[in-house]
Amino acid sequence: MILFLKKNTSDTQVENLVKWFDDMGIESHLSKGKFQTVLGLVGDTSAVDISLIEGLEIVETVKRIQEPFKNSNRKFHPDDTVVNVGDAKIGGKFFQIIAGPCSVESEEQICSIAKQVKEAGATLLRGGAFKPRTSPYAFQGLRAEGIELLLKAKQHTGLPIVTEIMDLSHLDLFADVDVIQVGARNMQNFELLKQLGKTDKPILLKRGLASTLEELLMSAEYIMAGGNENVILCERGIRTFETYTRNTLDISAIPLLKELSHLPIIVDPSHATGLSKLVRPLSLASVAGGADGLIIEVHNNPQCALCDGPQSITPEAFGDVVSEISPFLKLLGKEGLGGLV
Amino acid sequence: MILFLKKNTSDTQVENLVKWFDDMGIESHLSKGKFQTVLGLVGDTSAVDISLIEGLEIVETVKRIQEPFKNSNRKFHPDDTVVNVGDAKIGGKFFQIIAGPCSVESEEQICSIAKQVKEAGATLLRGGAFKPRTSPYAFQGLRAEGIELLLKAKQHTGLPIVTEIMDLSHLDLFADVDVIQVGARNMQNFELLKQLGKTDKPILLKRGLASTLEELLMSAEYIMAGGNENVILCERGIRTFETYTRNTLDISAIPLLKELSHLPIIVDPSHATGLSKLVRPLSLASVAGGADGLIIEVHNNPQCALCDGPQSITPEAFGDVVSEISPFLKLLGKEGLGGLV
Amino acid sequence: MILFLKKNTSDTQVENLVKWFDDMGIESHLSKGKFQTVLGLVGDTSAVDISLIEGLEIVETVKRIQEPFKNSNRKFHPDDTVVNVGDAKIGGKFFQIIAGPCSVESEEQICSIAKQVKEAGATLLRGGAFKPRTSPYAFQGLRAEGIELLLKAKQHTGLPIVTEIMDLSHLDLFADVDVIQVGARNMQNFELLKQLGKTDKPILLKRGLASTLEELLMSAEYIMAGGNENVILCERGIRTFETYTRNTLDISAIPLLKELSHLPIIVDPSHATGLSKLVRPLSLASVAGGADGLIIEVHNNPQCALCDGPQSITPEAFGDVVSEISPFLKLLGKEGLGGLV
Amino acid sequence: MILFLKKNTSDTQVENLVKWFDDMGIESHLSKGKFQTVLGLVGDTSAVDISLIEGLEIVETVKRIQEPFKNSNRKFHPDDTVVNVGDAKIGGKFFQIIAGPCSVESEEQICSIAKQVKEAGATLLRGGAFKPRTSPYAFQGLRAEGIELLLKAKQHTGLPIVTEIMDLSHLDLFADVDVIQVGARNMQNFELLKQLGKTDKPILLKRGLASTLEELLMSAEYIMAGGNENVILCERGIRTFETYTRNTLDISAIPLLKELSHLPIIVDPSHATGLSKLVRPLSLASVAGGADGLIIEVHNNPQCALCDGPQSITPEAFGDVVSEISPFLKLLGKEGLGGLV
């Protein structure tokens, strides 16, 4: 971190500042240039509050040299992280698709979809048990029962399951869940992230609607700082002024996150726009843009999904998407989808 | 709710749809116009998932006639809600200021600031015990100890205290807190909102960084649906493309929320932009725009605040702000600030 | 257009409204339902000002049934428009790349780049003569001389040229230019669009930084209403809160515009983020997402470009991008790039 | 401007860089610190392209020390600029209101409104002659005839007139117009700004929908660089994700622009949200926030305005707004409104 001091800063003020850092255990190095007095902070400054420093009266501005994320930073971990979920590997050269309905509704429904998406190439099953809904009057998911039904579908198909946690108090219910999803609205639920960092389960961390890439990586950092390095990042659209789509898929997030971090990054083309007709082109674009996987909403009867109907495609349409992306994946040297590519 | 059906919809399809609503206990009323067949849903449709209906193949589009919020809706509750916190009344003709430091740091610090802001006109004391920080390496607040120190400051000054909850598991620690704050990042932490709805404590609900006004009111609805009607809304800036300020204060939110809802609405001019120099003009503008109160960060030594330094003003500057807004409040016929106006 | 009238509307008021529309030559059709009185406007309502109607006291809300764009609307023109520029066809199954430097700097520079990008597969040459710069003190382009130099490069290579117009008064200088570009800042310069509608030149219309897709199509409508149907749409990134990238590429715009309109749509991966390292992945993603072409900044010496340096790639890097996208284009059944695919 | 060089930069590379700046006539000063080699550029660097410098391979990042705007910068012109329009002074301690209809429709209409708004306290008359409309099929204004009608209204009332220019080619028609307005869509129409800089007329420059404050000041700079210092800035709402309002009024823009620049800043509460019911509270808030004036749409029959109906208030409602803001203006020590305050 480099501090630019204001022109009229006195020597005493500079000395006090240096001492203040010293007291915090931070070494600093002064350089008086013709135009600017500059103070460089040495060592690990990730705990230093940049906005506090900026607030000091003698400081004109502050420049961070290091990114504030460490565990998730590619600089300190050049190789791609590959997250293993059962037989499915995500990251590096491995590409997987997580598919399933928005909400788990019944044993028949979830088992039937699980079977169909597996046949089409999905290697993980998703399904909502706890559902974050804008309205308190809307269906809130089958909750604990939903997780049990997902586990039955896992028994039948062998597919590892991915489902969303909404509150720390439910964590015990997720003991047999393979991947715990943290939804966009909880991306900065820091107490939740801290506790998930103490588990050894893969965490699917969705980007918040108005979160920057740096904030996403800082949230990954909360999990990793606790010792859990199995974090899968997920781009799912950000909020913009455009109204044709519910959100705007930030396709640049894929290559940028790949550069900044070693963590796998998958894309949710269903929630990214809220329009099922866009799932196919956005899946293709995400694959071409370098994604390590997709998470797609599939429903056997899109008209009867208990929630988020318009974003779901049928198992047949899902099969078509897999068929279309497969040759792209081969061109890009990716493997996965249960051996399909 | 009114459904516009597609032109080529057959009579059988319409009958099936009517029956489907019937099965859900929703009465519908068909109107075949020259240009459009329209189906009106009667009664309480707040539990109907509009996006599901929109996803039906025979539906062209759906128009909601009623707002989806009920308890917070001014239509069903024309009079302003006045929330009582100790002797302080917020809402209607009553205006209050909540002031205090970003973080509670020590007994001396919090008691000293409490005394000073009370003298200047603040009628509630704020202070962060649990601090949501973007970085896991940054200071996370004194947590339980912070609440104890706030309670000591309350003992000394008589000021009711306002502090933020970050997780349901901490709820017991808030037994003696007067107003529980739900931060912007937790505005859609629905499990937390549900539980807070079962308490009888006033809840200060901050608008999320990328949340619409309707979403804010739906979150208030989560709390009120549980039986707790003491909700204070708080506008604190939204995320936009502008980079001079951390966020953009949405001043229109004040009159719009006043029209849509009977709940009191206060403004946080400190977090709205992250620049302490803007606290004064934004406080004046918020008062003139019709706010029922302000929540302002005040620190006895802005340079040493352990977090969010740049947004804090000194007790002296705070006193000046109160002096400046007082004649405005009188012009607007507002009372409060411990009898100051 | 359908008008929902307020509940307490009197018969006289409805009659007056019907008469008012009648005077404007618009036929209307009344339908009194149990819940809502609805007035449907018949025929071409594209000249009706929806916001004016919404402002009428007896009108609750208005719903547009037809999109406000006509000439650009796929509903009235189901087949893809193919725009011909010299030998290059853009749209339908034809894919082309427009490449060249941000600014034309000298004859040697532009001719050398033109030769190199042609060899690599570009079929049109771009180069800035008139440069819209945020600062009046920055290099404003070679202007008229720049167009002359582009024409020389065209002579040498046979590549049709694409360059931006900044003001109507320069139109005469564009007599020999093959494609006139309207930049993002001028997307709603309606007087300019009207005049371009009277020419027969292909127009490359860039989406404004904060323009919705509907606004982009309405601007195309300005050109087409004048008789010029050769409009090529261009997605080039929108302004959002993310700060890692200058803008956010809205990849969904490609399939959405393809559905709404028959016009070709190309992508500018250089300006979309302002980071040359992202040109490659975003080009791949755009191709996979269904784009009809790309416009890429290429500079023989990226470090010396007189403007917008960071978004430019070298001719070698450009050649690599073409090589990488070619097999994708073949998979998608696209032709173009001078026979390369 | 300060350049941070990358760690592995060789001495030869640094020498070449210094020489390159030297060739451009820019003096530089090298400072090798323990952590960073820093190059400071001396003198006027406003013509230096920061993005070009950032693109150089040996440069890690660049920090601008000076703001890129000069003529509009308060640092070089500490006193408030007061723009004189006839008898009306805008800026400093002087506050004025510009009022009038969206579009000029007829002599009777504009003269009648002019009379009414003058009586209520307006000191300038606005009215649209050339109207930028999203749709080519919507009413485009009376154009030249509209300006003539405005001049008649000026004759009758003595009010100076403000109207929008849409294209340079119309400039001659504005010979007798008192204040030329540049609309939000033309804020970066640089050729237009340059020519307006050569006139001596006051220019009302509206902020673009997605323009930062710095960009607004750079556009003012285009005008001022030509010699015309009579620029009035106007905040009129920015585009955000919120959908209740057409745009979001950025109230912080007022105090921030006052700090950065000496130019007067007025607010357009009508276009800021598109809701006439918000004109009153946003006018109050803008006054309290420090604005030097307001521009308000007033229509004698809001239901018949040929465009932008919902944003207009009646002359009576306008009178009420003036009555309400007057005591606020007195509190703030402002003068104006034809002696009303």
Side-chain angles (χ1 to χ4, degrees):
Chain A
M1 197 175 287
I2 294 183
L3 285 67
F4 296 83
L5 304 186
K6 285 193 184 150
K7 286 214 168 161
N8 49 359
T9 307
S10 71
D11 286 356
T12 320
Q13 286 175 310
V14 175
E15 278 162 32
N16 287 344
L17 186 63
V18 168
K19 193 182 168 308
W20 188 59
F21 282 119
D22 211 48
D23 289 351
M24 291 198 278
I26 298 165
E27 194 188 329
S28 59
H29 178 92
L30 194 70
S31 149
K32 293 202 180 188
K34 189 172 170 187
F35 307 105
Q36 195 90 32
T37 299
V38 169
L39 195 71
L41 305 189
V42 189
D44 181 9
T45 57
S46 56
V48 175
D49 187 343
I50 196 164
S51 64
L52 168 58
I53 308 289
E54 279 170 344
L56 299 174
E57 222 174 278
I58 58 171
V59 172
E60 190 181 287
T61 186
V62 179
K63 214 189 95 46
R64 215 201 289 271
I65 294 299
Q66 295 172 307
E67 285 104 1
F69 41 97
K70 296 189 292 188
N71 289 291
S72 59
N73 199 324
R74 189 178 280 276
K75 278 186 192 151
F76 309 127
H77 186 309
D79 294 334
D80 289 328
T81 282
V82 176
V83 173
N84 292 286
V85 189
D87 294 338
K89 292 172 184 298
I90 306 177
K93 65 175 181 176
F94 301 103
F95 184 96
Q96 307 297 345
I97 303 181
I98 305 166
C102 172
S103 292
V104 180
E105 292 165 25
S106 69
E107 181 172 346
E108 193 199 342
Q109 172 240 20
I110 190 66
C111 290
S112 150
I113 297 179
K115 197 165 156 280
Q116 290 176 81
V117 298
K118 186 185 180 185
E119 277 166 16
T123 40
L124 296 101
L125 175 68
R126 57 148 291 156
F130 291 89
K131 297 296 307 172
R133 308 301 308 280
T134 306
S135 168
Y137 311 116
F139 174 61
Q140 309 271 319
L142 294 181
R143 299 172 70 94
E145 190 195 340
I147 294 184
E148 280 170 39
L149 297 180
L150 278 168
L151 291 170
K152 284 194 182 155
K154 179 184 175 179
Q155 272 187 326
H156 285 295
T157 58
L159 290 180
I161 60 172
V162 183
T163 196
E164 180 171 351
I165 191 166
M166 278 181 65
D167 193 74
L168 256 186
S169 59
H170 307 145
L171 189 52
D172 288 348
L173 297 169
F174 286 71
D176 297 321
V177 166
D178 298 284
V179 178
I180 302 181
Q181 177 178 317
V182 176
R185 290 180 183 86
N186 272 319
M187 193 201 86
Q188 293 195 319
N189 185 334
F190 300 122
E191 297 295 311
L192 178 61
L193 298 178
K194 279 184 200 170
Q195 289 304 316
L196 294 176
K198 294 177 187 164
T199 72
D200 58 357
K201 285 198 185 297
I203 308 298
L204 177 54
L205 180 65
K206 288 196 155 187
R207 181 182 182 183
L209 274 177
S211 298
T212 61
L213 298 182
E214 185 173 305
E215 287 168 343
L216 172 60
L217 290 172
M218 290 311 289
S219 286
E221 202 71 20
Y222 260 97
I223 300 168
M224 299 175 88
N228 184 352
E229 307 232 319
N230 292 309
V231 179
I232 303 164
L233 306 172
C234 182
E235 160 64 30
R236 45 80 74 220
I238 56 173
R239 198 158 255 189
T240 69
F241 62 83
E242 177 60 65
T243 50
Y244 259 114
T245 48
R246 194 181 301 176
N247 301 299
T248 298
L249 179 67
D250 179 6
I251 193 88
S252 331
I254 307 170
L256 269 173
L257 287 171
K258 289 299 242 187
E259 181 186 293
L260 294 168
S261 174
H262 52 88
L263 296 173
I265 162 93
I266 70 169
V267 172
D268 179 343
S270 304
H271 288 82
T273 71
L275 299 169
S276 61
K277 64 186 173 189
L278 295 187
V279 168
R280 184 198 148 278
L282 294 187
S283 294
L284 282 164
S286 300
V287 165
D292 297 310
L294 296 168
I295 177 164
I296 298 182
E297 282 199 4
V298 178
H299 205 284
N300 39 7
N301 183 355
Q303 298 191 21
C304 292
L306 288 180
C307 64
D308 281 341
Q311 358 188 314
S312 288
I313 58 175
T314 59
E316 292 72 37
F318 174 69
D320 292 346
V321 170
V322 180
S323 302
E324 282 211 73
I325 63 172
S326 293
F328 283 77
L329 288 168
K330 282 173 195 155
L331 272 177
L332 294 160
K334 289 272 191 179
E335 287 176 27
L337 301 183
L340 213 86
V341 292
Chain B
M1 199 174 287
I2 293 184
L3 285 65
F4 296 83
L5 304 186
K6 285 192 183 153
K7 287 214 165 159
N8 50 358
T9 307
S10 72
D11 286 356
T12 320
Q13 286 175 311
V14 175
E15 281 162 31
N16 288 343
L17 186 63
V18 168
K19 194 182 168 306
W20 188 60
F21 282 120
D22 212 48
D23 291 350
M24 289 198 280
I26 298 167
E27 195 189 328
S28 59
H29 178 90
L30 195 69
S31 151
K32 292 200 179 188
K34 191 172 169 188
F35 308 104
Q36 195 91 29
T37 299
V38 168
L39 195 71
L41 304 189
V42 189
D44 181 7
T45 57
S46 57
V48 175
D49 187 343
I50 197 166
S51 65
L52 168 59
I53 309 289
E54 278 171 346
L56 298 174
E57 221 173 279
I58 59 172
V59 171
E60 190 180 285
T61 186
V62 179
K63 214 189 95 46
R64 216 201 288 270
I65 295 298
Q66 297 172 305
E67 284 106 359
F69 41 96
K70 297 189 292 189
N71 289 292
S72 59
N73 199 325
R74 189 178 282 274
K75 279 187 191 151
F76 310 127
H77 187 309
D79 294 334
D80 289 328
T81 283
V82 176
V83 174
N84 292 287
V85 189
D87 295 336
K89 293 172 185 297
I90 306 177
K93 65 175 179 175
F94 301 103
F95 184 97
Q96 308 297 344
I97 303 181
I98 305 165
C102 171
S103 294
V104 179
E105 292 165 26
S106 68
E107 182 173 344
E108 193 199 343
Q109 172 239 20
I110 190 66
C111 290
S112 150
I113 297 180
K115 196 164 158 280
Q116 291 176 82
V117 297
K118 186 185 179 184
E119 277 165 17
T123 41
L124 296 100
L125 175 67
R126 58 147 291 156
F130 291 88
K131 296 298 305 172
R133 308 301 308 279
T134 306
S135 166
Y137 311 117
F139 174 60
Q140 309 271 318
L142 292 180
R143 302 171 70 92
E145 189 195 340
I147 294 184
E148 281 169 40
L149 297 181
L150 279 167
L151 291 170
K152 283 192 183 158
K154 179 183 176 180
Q155 274 186 325
H156 286 294
T157 59
L159 290 180
I161 60 172
V162 183
T163 196
E164 179 171 351
I165 191 166
M166 278 180 64
D167 193 75
L168 256 186
S169 59
H170 308 145
L171 189 53
D172 288 348
L173 297 170
F174 286 71
D176 297 321
V177 167
D178 299 282
V179 178
I180 301 182
Q181 176 178 320
V182 176
R185 291 180 183 84
N186 271 319
M187 192 202 87
Q188 294 195 317
N189 185 334
F190 300 123
E191 298 294 313
L192 177 61
L193 299 178
K194 279 183 201 171
Q195 290 304 315
L196 294 177
K198 293 177 188 163
T199 71
D200 59 357
K201 283 197 187 299
I203 308 297
L204 176 55
L205 180 65
K206 289 196 154 187
R207 180 182 186 185
L209 273 178
S211 298
T212 62
L213 298 182
E214 184 173 306
E215 287 168 343
L216 173 60
L217 290 171
M218 291 310 291
S219 286
E221 203 69 22
Y222 261 96
I223 299 168
M224 299 175 86
N228 184 353
E229 307 231 320
N230 293 310
V231 179
I232 303 163
L233 305 172
C234 180
E235 160 64 29
R236 43 82 73 222
I238 56 174
R239 199 159 255 190
T240 69
F241 63 84
E242 177 60 64
T243 49
Y244 259 114
T245 48
R246 195 181 300 176
N247 302 298
T248 298
L249 179 66
D250 180 6
I251 193 89
S252 331
I254 306 170
L256 270 172
L257 287 171
K258 289 299 241 186
E259 181 186 293
L260 294 167
S261 175
H262 51 88
L263 295 173
I265 161 94
I266 70 169
V267 171
D268 178 344
S270 304
H271 287 82
T273 70
L275 299 169
S276 61
K277 64 186 172 189
L278 296 186
V279 168
R280 184 198 148 277
L282 295 186
S283 294
L284 282 164
S286 300
V287 165
D292 297 310
L294 296 169
I295 177 165
I296 298 182
E297 281 197 6
V298 177
H299 205 285
N300 41 7
N301 182 354
Q303 299 191 21
C304 292
L306 287 179
C307 62
D308 281 340
Q311 356 187 317
S312 289
I313 58 175
T314 59
E316 292 72 35
F318 174 69
D320 292 345
V321 170
V322 179
S323 304
E324 282 211 72
I325 64 172
S326 293
F328 283 75
L329 288 168
K330 281 173 195 157
L331 272 177
L332 294 161
K334 290 270 190 181
E335 287 176 27
L337 301 183
L340 213 85
V341 291
Chain C
M1 199 175 286
I2 293 183
L3 285 66
F4 296 84
L5 304 186
K6 286 194 182 150
K7 287 213 166 161
N8 49 359
T9 307
S10 73
D11 286 356
T12 320
Q13 286 174 310
V14 175
E15 279 161 33
N16 286 342
L17 187 62
V18 168
K19 194 182 165 306
W20 188 58
F21 281 120
D22 213 47
D23 291 350
M24 289 198 280
I26 297 166
E27 197 187 326
S28 59
H29 178 91
L30 194 69
S31 151
K32 292 201 179 187
K34 189 171 168 188
F35 308 104
Q36 195 89 30
T37 299
V38 169
L39 194 71
L41 304 189
V42 189
D44 181 7
T45 57
S46 56
V48 175
D49 187 343
I50 198 165
S51 65
L52 167 60
I53 308 289
E54 278 170 345
L56 299 173
E57 220 173 279
I58 59 171
V59 172
E60 191 180 285
T61 186
V62 179
K63 214 189 94 47
R64 217 202 289 269
I65 294 300
Q66 296 172 305
E67 285 105 359
F69 41 95
K70 296 190 292 188
N71 289 291
S72 60
N73 200 323
R74 189 178 281 277
K75 279 187 191 149
F76 309 126
H77 186 311
D79 294 334
D80 288 328
T81 283
V82 176
V83 173
N84 292 287
V85 189
D87 294 336
K89 291 171 185 299
I90 306 176
K93 65 175 179 174
F94 301 103
F95 183 97
Q96 308 297 345
I97 303 182
I98 305 166
C102 171
S103 295
V104 180
E105 292 165 25
S106 68
E107 182 174 343
E108 193 199 342
Q109 172 239 22
I110 190 67
C111 289
S112 149
I113 297 180
K115 196 164 157 280
Q116 291 176 81
V117 298
K118 186 185 179 185
E119 275 165 18
T123 41
L124 296 100
L125 175 67
R126 59 148 289 157
F130 291 88
K131 297 297 306 172
R133 308 301 307 279
T134 306
S135 167
Y137 312 117
F139 175 60
Q140 309 271 320
L142 293 181
R143 303 172 68 93
E145 189 195 340
I147 294 186
E148 280 169 42
L149 297 180
L150 279 167
L151 290 171
K152 283 193 183 157
K154 180 183 175 181
Q155 272 186 326
H156 284 297
T157 58
L159 289 180
I161 59 173
V162 183
T163 196
E164 179 171 352
I165 192 167
M166 279 181 65
D167 192 76
L168 257 185
S169 59
H170 306 146
L171 189 53
D172 288 347
L173 297 170
F174 286 71
D176 297 320
V177 166
D178 298 283
V179 178
I180 301 180
Q181 177 178 318
V182 176
R185 291 181 183 85
N186 272 317
M187 193 202 87
Q188 293 195 319
N189 184 334
F190 299 123
E191 298 294 313
L192 177 62
L193 299 178
K194 278 184 200 171
Q195 289 305 317
L196 294 177
K198 293 177 188 164
T199 71
D200 59 356
K201 285 196 186 298
I203 308 298
L204 176 55
L205 181 65
K206 289 196 155 188
R207 181 182 184 184
L209 273 178
S211 299
T212 62
L213 298 182
E214 185 173 304
E215 287 168 342
L216 173 60
L217 290 172
M218 291 310 291
S219 286
E221 203 70 19
Y222 261 96
I223 299 168
M224 298 175 87
N228 184 352
E229 307 232 320
N230 293 309
V231 179
I232 302 163
L233 305 172
C234 180
E235 160 65 29
R236 44 81 74 221
I238 56 174
R239 198 159 254 189
T240 69
F241 62 83
E242 177 60 64
T243 49
Y244 259 114
T245 48
R246 193 181 302 176
N247 302 297
T248 298
L249 179 66
D250 179 5
I251 193 89
S252 329
I254 306 170
L256 269 172
L257 286 172
K258 289 299 242 185
E259 182 186 293
L260 294 167
S261 174
H262 51 88
L263 296 173
I265 163 93
I266 70 169
V267 171
D268 179 344
S270 304
H271 288 82
T273 70
L275 298 169
S276 60
K277 64 186 173 188
L278 295 185
V279 168
R280 185 197 147 276
L282 295 186
S283 294
L284 283 164
S286 300
V287 165
D292 297 309
L294 296 169
I295 178 165
I296 298 181
E297 281 197 6
V298 178
H299 205 284
N300 40 7
N301 182 355
Q303 299 191 20
C304 292
L306 288 180
C307 63
D308 280 342
Q311 354 186 319
S312 290
I313 58 175
T314 59
E316 293 71 38
F318 174 69
D320 292 346
V321 170
V322 179
S323 303
E324 281 210 73
I325 65 172
S326 293
F328 282 75
L329 287 168
K330 281 173 195 157
L331 272 176
L332 293 161
K334 290 270 190 179
E335 288 175 27
L337 300 185
L340 212 86
V341 291
Chain D
M1 197 174 288
I2 293 183
L3 285 66
F4 296 83
L5 304 187
K6 286 193 183 152
K7 286 215 166 156
N8 50 358
T9 306
S10 71
D11 286 356
T12 320
Q13 286 175 309
V14 175
E15 280 162 31
N16 287 342
L17 186 63
V18 168
K19 193 182 168 307
W20 187 60
F21 283 119
D22 211 49
D23 291 349
M24 290 198 280
I26 299 165
E27 195 187 328
S28 59
H29 178 91
L30 194 70
S31 149
K32 293 200 181 189
K34 189 171 169 189
F35 308 104
Q36 196 91 29
T37 299
V38 169
L39 195 71
L41 304 190
V42 189
D44 181 7
T45 57
S46 57
V48 175
D49 187 343
I50 197 164
S51 64
L52 168 59
I53 308 289
E54 278 170 345
L56 299 175
E57 221 174 278
I58 58 171
V59 172
E60 192 181 285
T61 185
V62 179
K63 215 189 94 46
R64 216 201 290 268
I65 294 299
Q66 296 172 306
E67 286 105 0
F69 40 97
K70 297 189 292 185
N71 289 292
S72 59
N73 200 324
R74 190 179 281 275
K75 278 186 193 152
F76 309 126
H77 185 310
D79 294 334
D80 288 329
T81 282
V82 177
V83 173
N84 292 286
V85 189
D87 293 337
K89 292 172 185 298
I90 306 176
K93 64 175 180 175
F94 301 103
F95 184 95
Q96 308 297 344
I97 303 182
I98 306 166
C102 171
S103 293
V104 179
E105 291 166 26
S106 68
E107 183 173 342
E108 193 199 343
Q109 172 240 21
I110 189 67
C111 290
S112 150
I113 298 179
K115 196 164 157 282
Q116 291 176 82
V117 298
K118 186 184 180 185
E119 276 165 17
T123 39
L124 296 101
L125 174 67
R126 57 147 292 154
F130 291 88
K131 296 298 306 172
R133 309 300 309 278
T134 307
S135 167
Y137 311 117
F139 175 60
Q140 309 272 319
L142 293 181
R143 300 170 72 93
E145 189 195 339
I147 294 184
E148 281 169 39
L149 298 180
L150 279 167
L151 290 171
K152 284 192 182 155
K154 180 183 175 179
Q155 273 187 327
H156 284 296
T157 58
L159 290 181
I161 59 172
V162 183
T163 195
E164 180 172 352
I165 192 166
M166 278 181 64
D167 192 76
L168 255 187
S169 59
H170 307 145
L171 189 52
D172 288 348
L173 298 168
F174 286 70
D176 297 321
V177 166
D178 299 283
V179 178
I180 301 181
Q181 177 178 318
V182 175
R185 291 180 182 86
N186 272 319
M187 192 202 86
Q188 294 195 319
N189 185 334
F190 300 123
E191 298 294 314
L192 177 62
L193 300 178
K194 278 183 202 172
Q195 290 304 317
L196 294 176
K198 294 177 187 163
T199 71
D200 58 357
K201 285 196 184 299
I203 308 297
L204 177 55
L205 180 65
K206 288 196 155 189
R207 181 182 183 185
L209 275 177
S211 298
T212 62
L213 298 182
E214 184 173 305
E215 287 168 344
L216 173 60
L217 290 173
M218 290 311 290
S219 286
E221 202 70 20
Y222 261 97
I223 300 168
M224 299 175 87
N228 184 351
E229 307 232 318
N230 293 309
V231 179
I232 302 163
L233 304 172
C234 180
E235 161 63 31
R236 44 81 73 221
I238 56 174
R239 199 158 253 190
T240 70
F241 62 84
E242 178 60 65
T243 50
Y244 259 114
T245 47
R246 193 181 301 175
N247 301 299
T248 298
L249 179 65
D250 180 5
I251 193 89
S252 331
I254 306 170
L256 268 173
L257 287 172
K258 288 299 240 187
E259 182 186 292
L260 295 168
S261 175
H262 52 88
L263 296 173
I265 162 94
I266 70 169
V267 171
D268 178 344
S270 304
H271 287 83
T273 71
L275 299 168
S276 61
K277 64 187 173 189
L278 296 187
V279 168
R280 185 197 147 278
L282 295 187
S283 294
L284 283 164
S286 300
V287 165
D292 297 309
L294 296 168
I295 176 164
I296 298 182
E297 281 198 5
V298 178
H299 204 284
N300 40 6
N301 183 354
Q303 298 190 21
C304 292
L306 287 180
C307 64
D308 280 341
Q311 352 188 320
S312 289
I313 58 175
T314 59
E316 293 71 36
F318 174 70
D320 292 346
V321 170
V322 179
S323 303
E324 281 210 73
I325 64 172
S326 294
F328 282 76
L329 288 168
K330 282 173 195 154
L331 272 177
L332 294 160
K334 291 271 191 179
E335 287 176 28
L337 301 183
L340 213 86
V341 292

